[in-house]
Amino acid sequence: MSGKFILVKERTKYRFNLVDDAGDILFKGAIASTKDMAQRKVDLMRSWGDDLKYHLQPMAGPHGGYTIRGEEHTSREGEQGRIGDAAPLGFSAVFETEAEMDKVRDAIIAAAKGALVEDQTGE
């Protein structure tokens, strides 16, 4: 399964959405100041292949449940799940259990492999 990275403009900022074959958003990119910065995050995620799993960390959501946070650096030994102050690449949808987290992470990785990029910024 391959997905698609869609570059979007929201007011004056940019982000990307990683969607699966059905068009469902699996991962929303963090807000970027420029289109080039959003494209850079897409290029990073596409280049990691299977190693993308080392850049995806689960974290507790503010209203219960969990989300997956993508980071530019890899998860390091000894962090014990703490997120730290690294700037995020983006976040997944909220899920409730670890089993769901594994499915969401696997779906993100599968969609990012060989994903096309579509520019919907209108620029």
Side-chain angles (χ1 to χ4, degrees), residues 38-86:
Q39 179 68 53
R40 179 183 167 278
K41 293 175 186 183
V42 168
D43 292 342
L44 283 172
M45 288 185 71
R46 291 176 71 210
S47 71
W48 287 324
D50 286 333
D51 287 344
L52 178 56
K53 67 184 170 196
Y54 300 117
H55 297 268
L56 301 175
Q57 295 186 39
M59 64 182 265
H63 306 292
Y66 300 91
T67 188
I68 292 176
R69 174 180 162 138
E71 296 181 343
E72 196 167 321
H73 68 75
T74 60
S75 303
R76 293 177 296 234
E77 188 69 31
E79 284 188 352
Q80 300 171 347
R82 288 188 295 274
I83 299 301
D85 60 355

